[in-house]
């Protein structure tokens, strides 16, 4: 059986964005497969009485500077949209909805959203800009927006987020290999080591 790991993420996390950009080469290098696990990071924070580190002035300033260093090293554009950190509830429902209903289009959606949020920062609180981004990526905006209103989709995102909390997830990105958790885009080398030692 191929080696497999879980990738828990939220579209509002710049660290998860950097990890997402590394994933294609990472998968090629490790020969592993990935289980994508969308969650609502705001829901995780709320359940744990936690908050985004960027809301803490000194820590946030350092963290954003550190992420810029990783972005430059990886050759990945990184900026921050108006209103950052943003509420990603609708965007994550859309991601879950595509994963459920059109899984073959899931990664294209995540690519488009991450590029719009952090690659060429746009105000994704604006429904018009979201629709434009979806259309440019080959999606029917009305169809994707409808997914966010689907009751089953909403419940699936809630269940994913509750499962993340139950597993001990407290930030994004989070990886699991054989039940062992790794947090942060700067821990992907450890994920690779764990995959090399994995038996399945």
């Amino acid at each position: 059986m191929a080696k497999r790991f879980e990738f828990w993420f939220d579209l509002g996390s710049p660290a998860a964005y950097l990890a997402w950009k590394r994933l294609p080469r990472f998968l090629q290098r490790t020969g592993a497969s990935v289980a994508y696990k969308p969650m609502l990071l705001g829901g995780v924070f709320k359940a744990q009485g936690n908050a985004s580190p960027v809301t803490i002035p000194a820590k946030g300033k350092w963290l954003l500077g550190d992420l810029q260093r990783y972005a430059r090293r990886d050759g990945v554009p990184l900026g921050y949209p108006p209103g950052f950190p943003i509420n990603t509830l609708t965007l994550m429902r859309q991601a879950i909805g595509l994963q459920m209903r059109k899984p073959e289009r899931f990664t294209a959606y995540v690519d488009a959203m991450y590029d719009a949020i952090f690659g060429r920062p746009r105000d994704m609180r604006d429904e018009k800009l979201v629709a434009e981004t979806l259309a440019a990526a080959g999606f029917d905006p009305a169809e994707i927006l409808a997914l966010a209103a689907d009751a089953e989709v909403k419940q699936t995102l809630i269940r994913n987020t509750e499962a993340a909390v139950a597993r001990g997830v407290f930030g994004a990105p989070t990886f699991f290999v054989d039940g062992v958790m790794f947090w942060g885009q700067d821990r992907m080398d450890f994920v690779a080591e764990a995959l090399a030692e994995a038996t399945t």
Side-chain angles (χ1 to χ4, degrees), residues 29-83:
R29 176 164 59 96
T30 61
S33 61
V34 56
Y36 297 111
K37 300 288 188 176
M39 63 178 176
L40 189 64
L41 192 53
V44 171
F45 289 154
K46 183 177 179 180
Q48 298 169 336
N50 198 356
S52 169
V54 301
T55 63
I56 304 168
K59 186 175 185 179
K61 181 180 179 181
W62 177 88
L63 176 61
L64 296 184
D66 197 52
L67 291 176
Q68 288 290 353
R69 284 188 284 271
Y70 278 103
R72 285 193 297 270
R73 188 191 68 177
D74 293 345
V76 174
L78 174 61
Y80 300 98

Side-chain angles (χ1 to χ4, degrees), residues 90 93-94 143-154:
T90 298
R93 284 175 177 169
Q94 292 171 4
E143 179 184 5
I144 303 306
L145 288 170
L147 287 175
D150 184 291
E152 186 180 7
V153 169
K154 291 179 179 180

Side-chain angles (χ1 to χ4, degrees), residues 119-157:
R120 52 180 190 281
R122 308 182 79 190
D123 190 347
M124 299 305 278
R125 298 170 299 180
D126 185 329
E127 290 185 3
K128 182 180 177 182
L129 290 179
V130 172
E132 289 177 1
T133 299
L134 289 168
F139 292 96
D140 177 349
E143 179 184 5
I144 303 306
L145 288 170
L147 287 175
D150 184 291
E152 186 180 7
V153 169
K154 291 179 179 180
Q155 285 303 310
T156 301
L157 180 57

Side-chain angles (χ1 to χ4, degrees), residues 1-193:
M1 184 182 294
K3 297 172 183 176
R4 190 169 178 84
F5 66 97
E6 298 173 22
F7 175 69
W8 293 79
F9 73 100
D10 182 301
L11 287 166
S13 166
Y17 159 74
L18 293 179
W20 179 267
K21 289 296 186 181
R22 285 190 200 150
L23 275 179
R25 285 177 294 178
F26 183 85
L27 293 171
Q28 185 177 36
R29 176 164 59 96
T30 61
S33 61
V34 56
Y36 297 111
K37 300 288 188 176
M39 63 178 176
L40 189 64
L41 192 53
V44 171
F45 289 154
K46 183 177 179 180
Q48 298 169 336
N50 198 356
S52 169
V54 301
T55 63
I56 304 168
K59 186 175 185 179
K61 181 180 179 181
W62 177 88
L63 176 61
L64 296 184
D66 197 52
L67 291 176
Q68 288 290 353
R69 284 188 284 271
Y70 278 103
R72 285 193 297 270
R73 188 191 68 177
D74 293 345
V76 174
L78 174 61
Y80 300 98
F84 177 79
I86 64 172
N87 183 332
T88 58
L89 177 60
T90 298
L91 299 179
M92 295 310 297
R93 284 175 177 169
Q94 292 171 4
I96 285 277
L98 277 166
Q99 190 178 47
M100 292 169 62
R101 307 284 165 73
K102 290 190 174 180
E104 72 280 2
R105 296 289 283 147
F106 171 76
T107 58
Y109 171 85
V110 177
D111 278 334
M113 290 299 121
Y114 265 143
D115 285 344
I117 296 168
F118 296 113
R120 52 180 190 281
R122 308 182 79 190
D123 190 347
M124 299 305 278
R125 298 170 299 180
D126 185 329
E127 290 185 3
K128 182 180 177 182
L129 290 179
V130 172
E132 289 177 1
T133 299
L134 289 168
F139 292 96
D140 177 349
E143 179 184 5
I144 303 306
L145 288 170
L147 287 175
D150 184 291
E152 186 180 7
V153 169
K154 291 179 179 180
Q155 285 303 310
T156 301
L157 180 57
I158 289 170
R159 286 196 298 271
N160 268 29
T161 303
E162 290 174 344
V165 172
R167 296 277 297 278
V169 172
F170 55 85
T174 294
F175 307 87
F176 284 94
V177 180
D178 283 350
V180 178
M181 187 175 84
F182 302 87
W183 170 61
Q185 50 82 28
D186 54 345
R187 298 299 191 271
M188 291 179 76
D189 286 346
F190 292 119
V191 176
E193 289 178 4

